Every structure is written in structure tokens, then in C-alpha cells.
Amino acid sequence: MKKIRKAKSLFAGLSQANKGMIIGSFLTIVSLFLPWYHDMDAWGKGATYLGITGPLSIIGLIILIGSSAVFAKIIGQMMGKEMRFLKKFKNLAFYVAAENIILFVIAASIYFDPKFGVNITLKETAFGLFLCLIGSVMMGLGEDMKNHEPAERELNVFEEVERNIDRMHKDIARDELAEVPLAEREYREKQTAEAAAEEKAETLRMDL
């Protein structure tokens, strides 16, 4: 539970642009393991290709590498452990998104080319193909939003880290409180109340 809350806290601290890029890259990666294309031949035998399988698996592999790099870069920024290699690539998500869309068009055009397949009577696209397009567009829009964010709205890195640390401390304190038995909590509250009453009585005696 603590790790989940920490992840939620770090994700909440991301800008809208970074959220768009990390969600878009994640959807693109997932799409590669979903069906992209169905076909059926004259003998009633069908075939289903995933994004990383079939004759166009090389396209899926290229998309996987690029989208994974974007995902790893944003995760690294979120955790404060960005890889030096990825720091060198500015606007990485935008270029990966553009590459993915081009490869998407190539894959779709090949799938529906009459010369693709033998005695094919039915050709259908699947959900994974469109999910790849949606994820890639989200990556590109996220990078574009990041490039057009007003400078005055950019969060100071140290302020953001401090805010995340405070949120983590509150989560930890909440977890520790939840783990304390009810009887012990009541005993602590009673002690606190008695100490406050004694302090108040002592103050009144000093005033007199």
C-alpha cells in the first residue's frame, strides 16, 4: 500500500504534459501486445497478428523501443533518477510519436494492400492498431504542451520535491496511526488530555 501511495503521489506531482506523455507511451506499449489485424482466406482459415508478431513485427519492435524510451525517461524524471543517455534527447516524445504515426500508416497500408496475403477474402483491423495511434498522438501532444508551457508556471524542482516529501510523510503518519491498536490510541489521547489539563492548572496557579 505504501508503494502504491508513493507512486500515486509522484504521479500527481507531474505536469499535465508529462502525464500525457507517460500515459500515451504506456498505451502504445500495451497496444503492441494486442491484436492489430485479422484476415481470413478462401478456405475459412483465419490469422490474427499482434503488434509485434507476423510479417510486420519489425515495425512493432521499432515502436516498442521508441515508446519504452519515452516511458523510461518520464519515469526517471518522476523518480529523480533519469538516465544520462536519455537526457541528451530533447523532444524525444515528439519524434517518437511522429515515427510511430508514420509506421502506423505504413503497417495499415501493407495490411490492406491487395497483394498482402494469398486468397484473402476478409481483412479487418483490430483494437490494438488504433490504440497505438491514440497513444502516439497523446505522446506528441504532451511534448507539444511541455514546449508551450509558460515559464512562470514551471514548478521549481526543489519545491516539487519538498511537496512530494511532505505528502509522503503524511501518508507514512497515516499508516502508522492506522496500525496502532484502538486501546493504545485512546490511552495516548487520555495522556495528552491530562498533560494539557495539568499545564493549564499550573498556569492558573502561577497567575494567582
Side-chain angles (χ1 to χ4, degrees), residues 156-168:
N156 183 280
V157 175
F158 297 103
E159 292 178 356
E160 186 175 355
V161 170
E162 184 177 357
R163 185 180 64 183
N164 289 334
I165 291 174
D166 289 340
R167 190 182 292 112
M168 289 168 58

Side-chain angles (χ1 to χ4, degrees), residues 44-63:
K45 295 181 179 180
T48 299
Y49 301 115
L50 306 183
I52 56 173
T53 63
L56 299 181
S57 58
I58 185 64
I59 288 180
L61 183 60
I62 295 172
I63 293 175

Side-chain angles (χ1 to χ4, degrees), residues 117-189:
V118 180
N119 293 322
I120 300 299
T121 59
L122 177 65
K123 294 183 177 184
E124 292 180 336
T125 53
F127 176 70
L129 188 66
F130 297 104
L131 186 63
C132 177
L133 178 62
I134 293 170
S136 299
V137 171
M138 287 183 67
M139 274 195 290
L141 291 177
E143 189 72 78
D144 186 65
M145 287 174 59
K146 186 175 182 179
N147 291 335
H148 289 85
E149 283 179 346
E152 61 270 15
R153 291 187 181 180
E154 292 183 357
L155 291 175
N156 183 280
V157 175
F158 297 103
E159 292 178 356
E160 186 175 355
V161 170
E162 184 177 357
R163 185 180 64 183
N164 289 334
I165 291 174
D166 289 340
R167 190 182 292 112
M168 289 168 58
H169 285 167
K170 290 179 181 178
D171 291 339
I172 293 171
R174 192 183 304 115
D175 290 337
E176 290 177 349
L177 183 61
E179 293 173 358
V180 175
L182 178 60
E184 186 175 346
R185 288 208 302 269
E186 291 177 350
Y187 176 73
R188 289 182 182 180
E189 291 173 0

Side-chain angles (χ1 to χ4, degrees), residues 22-147:
I22 195 172
I23 293 174
S25 59
F26 178 76
L27 292 178
T28 304
I29 293 170
V30 170
S31 74
L32 297 169
F33 300 91
L34 297 175
W36 275 33
Y37 171 78
H38 304 289
D39 65 19
M40 183 173 292
D41 59 25
W43 294 276
K45 295 181 179 180
T48 299
Y49 301 115
L50 306 183
I52 56 173
T53 63
L56 299 181
S57 58
I58 185 64
I59 288 180
L61 183 60
I62 295 172
I63 293 175
L64 178 62
I65 293 172
S67 301
S68 297
V70 174
F71 186 79
K73 183 176 182 179
I74 305 302
I75 288 291
Q77 291 176 353
M78 186 173 72
M79 302 295 292
K81 299 178 181 179
E82 186 178 359
M83 290 184 283
R84 294 180 181 178
F85 174 73
L86 294 176
K87 283 184 179 180
K88 300 177 181 179
F89 297 95
K90 294 183 178 179
N91 300 321
L92 176 64
F94 183 82
Y95 293 119
V96 170
E99 177 188 61
N100 289 354
I101 292 172
I102 293 172
L103 294 174
F104 167 87
V105 173
I106 293 173
S109 62
I110 293 175
Y111 282 145
F112 287 98
D113 190 288
K115 297 179 181 179
F116 181 75
V118 180
N119 293 322
I120 300 299
T121 59
L122 177 65
K123 294 183 177 184
E124 292 180 336
T125 53
F127 176 70
L129 188 66
F130 297 104
L131 186 63
C132 177
L133 178 62
I134 293 170
S136 299
V137 171
M138 287 183 67
M139 274 195 290
L141 291 177
E143 189 72 78
D144 186 65
M145 287 174 59
K146 186 175 182 179
N147 291 335

